[in-house]
Amino acid sequence: MLRLIAVFLFVCSLMTPALAQEAAEDPRAQTGGAQTLDDILRRQAEQDVDDEFRRSETGDPSAAAPTTEPLGTLGGQSDPDLWRALRYDTADVTTQIRGPASTTLIQDSGMWWLEVREGPMLIYGAALLGGTLVLLALFYLIRGRIRIDGEKTGRTITRFTGVERFGHWLLATSFIILGVTGLISLFGRKVLIPAFGHEAFSILAIGTKWVHNNVSWAFIVALVIIFVFWVVHNLPDRTDLAWLAKGGGIFSSGHPPAKKFNAGQKLIFWAVIVLGASISASGISLLFPHEFNMFGATFAKLNDWGISGLVGLDPLPYPLSPQAEMQYAQLWHAIVSLVLTAIIFAHIYLGSIGMEGAFDAMGKGEVEEQWAREHHSLWVEEVRDAEALRKKEA
């Protein structure tokens, strides 16, 4: 009988942990409130993990032991409690350094920014620019250069004044310099350091940063100049619909009627203005760190409007640390710049080797009359009517 009782008690002792495990409602009861295997697996799969159970575990000052006790010098916090508070930016940090970012000692989103900048940003950026150049080369091989169809007259029409061309070339030159120096900064660590070494790249990086920061002001000034001079000619009208419907005559003979700027040029103009203004705004934010916080307020508005939920995404992060503001500004600055660079590639192609007579517009300011009649017939009529009216008044 005693043997049976001993065996029964032994079996019950083996079953007790299993029963407790099944009965536990808190999945973290087995880990003492720490991470579970499921948390680790989700993190490895790059899935979201609710870490609220750790955020709040930062110690309790009211539970501080007396100074005579072994833990008295730590108050109500252990070392892990203190590091969690630093990580989640809830610690009461004081410093002699004054500045918006001085009290943020650990910032998790910095790793996300670094991974995006050194991974998808480089891959997709290179694919965008390289793919654009390949498509333009294929288009040239298939379509060839767009020639002037009719017989040249030898007469020219003034297309752009000296001030207009100054604004255009200031914008073009500054954009090319900014593009080259920006690409060096973006791709330098992955491409140039392995090729030339750290010391050579350091000298190059310092120089390109100085050039990039200072040439940016010329780009902003030029952006204002071309907007003032050309915005009135780039407002949409009914002729743009007909031009777009016929593809601008790029894939066929003959060109749809157009005013001083056709629909394709208007699209490029507004892309330069809108994207250029966005690049300028984020660039100014980077030039003056922590002075212009663009993204935190924007994310808050988008969350209030439920925009992220409409596309099936989680709410955008808010509030943002000062460092996160700069990281989002840097990513936005780079992404928009890459998109605008791809658009400018197409613009340069059509304004040079892609179309006969197009470069004269900005090179000399004067264009062949036959070219003008084929590509901007409505504008030629406006110019001739204005000349006739001036002669009549004289």
Side-chain angles (χ1 to χ4, degrees):
M1 185 66 180
L2 291 174
R3 288 183 178 181
L4 291 176
I5 294 173
V7 170
F8 176 77
L9 293 175
F10 177 75
V11 172
C12 289
S13 67
L14 294 176
M15 294 177 60
T16 300
L19 294 173
Q21 180 177 357
E22 293 177 0
E25 296 182 0
D26 183 5
R28 307 188 193 285
Q30 305 168 53
T31 62
Q35 295 186 80
T36 64
L37 177 60
D38 182 62
D39 293 334
I40 297 172
L41 293 176
R42 288 177 64 85
R43 212 174 249 111
Q44 290 177 343
E46 298 184 355
Q47 298 177 357
D48 292 334
V49 177
D50 183 7
D51 58 1
E52 188 60 35
F53 71 97
R54 304 174 70 189
R55 289 177 177 269
S56 57
E57 295 297 324
T58 56
D60 183 6
S62 63
T67 56
T68 56
E69 296 294 329
L71 294 179
T73 55
L74 290 175
Q77 288 182 316
S78 65
D79 286 341
D81 293 337
L82 176 61
W83 283 110
R84 274 192 293 269
L86 291 173
R87 176 182 177 183
Y88 295 114
D89 201 24
T90 58
D92 184 16
V93 178
T94 58
T95 175
Q96 292 179 338
I97 301 174
R98 296 293 176 260
S102 60
T103 57
T104 302
L105 302 185
I106 298 177
Q107 188 226 348
D108 282 354
S109 62
M111 290 306 300
W112 168 84
W113 165 78
L114 184 63
E115 291 172 356
V116 171
R117 188 184 184 280
E118 295 189 350
M121 177 74 71
L122 301 185
I123 296 172
Y124 295 129
L128 174 63
L129 300 185
T132 301
L133 293 176
V134 170
L135 290 176
L136 291 174
L138 291 174
F139 180 80
Y140 181 79
L141 293 175
I142 296 171
R143 175 65 171 84
R145 195 178 195 195
I146 301 173
R147 301 286 182 178
I148 297 175
D149 295 328
E151 185 177 352
K152 296 180 181 179
T153 64
R155 298 186 298 272
T156 61
I157 299 178
T158 301
R159 180 148 175 79
F160 296 115
T161 64
V163 177
E164 290 175 301
R165 286 186 290 131
F166 169 79
H168 172 272
W169 287 116
L170 180 63
L171 185 71
T173 304
S174 60
F175 182 80
I176 291 173
I177 295 174
L178 292 171
V180 172
T181 53
L183 290 174
I184 290 174
S185 298
L186 185 61
F187 290 91
R189 289 184 175 275
K190 291 291 186 179
V191 178
L192 298 181
I193 288 180
F196 302 103
H198 286 81
E199 291 186 6
F201 176 71
S202 175
I203 297 172
L204 179 63
I206 293 171
T208 54
K209 179 180 181 296
W210 184 90
V211 171
H212 194 91
N213 291 348
N214 288 280
V215 172
S216 61
W217 301 110
F219 176 81
I220 295 173
V221 170
L223 201 66
V224 173
I225 292 175
I226 68 164
F227 178 81
V228 170
F229 276 91
W230 291 342
V231 63
V232 68
H233 300 292
N234 282 277
L235 299 176
D237 57 54
R238 288 177 296 179
T239 60
D240 298 330
L241 297 177
W243 192 94
L244 291 171
K246 296 181 179 180
I250 294 178
F251 301 98
S252 60
S253 59
H255 303 282
K259 295 183 178 181
K260 184 167 185 175
F261 293 101
N262 58 44
Q265 292 168 326
K266 289 179 180 181
L267 290 174
I268 291 177
F269 171 83
W270 286 111
V272 170
I273 293 300
V274 174
L275 299 182
S278 182
I279 292 170
S280 300
S282 57
I284 291 174
S285 177
L286 293 170
L287 284 172
F288 302 96
H290 315 306
E291 295 295 331
F292 307 98
N293 297 326
M294 302 166 53
F295 289 89
T298 303
F299 288 172
K301 289 293 183 183
L302 294 176
N303 288 337
D304 291 341
W305 297 337
I307 301 299
S308 58
L310 293 177
V311 294
L313 299 177
D314 294 331
L316 295 168
Y318 178 81
L320 295 177
S321 67
Q323 290 90 340
E325 279 282 353
M326 293 295 97
Q327 288 157 4
Y328 277 108
Q330 193 271 343
L331 290 179
W332 182 261
H333 189 77
I335 292 171
V336 179
S337 297
L338 288 169
V339 172
L340 183 56
T341 300
I343 294 172
I344 295 302
F345 279 171
H347 175 64
I348 293 173
Y349 165 79
L350 289 174
S352 56
I353 63 173
M355 181 182 294
E356 182 183 10
F359 183 78
D360 292 338
M362 278 300 167
K364 302 176 182 178
E366 302 280 334
V367 293
E368 162 64 40
E369 183 177 315
Q370 182 60 27
W371 178 90
R373 290 190 180 279
E374 291 180 7
H375 294 279
H376 302 275
S377 57
L378 299 178
W379 170 68
V380 174
E381 292 176 8
E382 292 176 357
V383 171
R384 294 308 184 204
D385 291 343
E387 289 178 352
L389 181 61
R390 284 197 298 270
K391 290 180 180 179
K392 184 177 180 181
E393 292 177 348

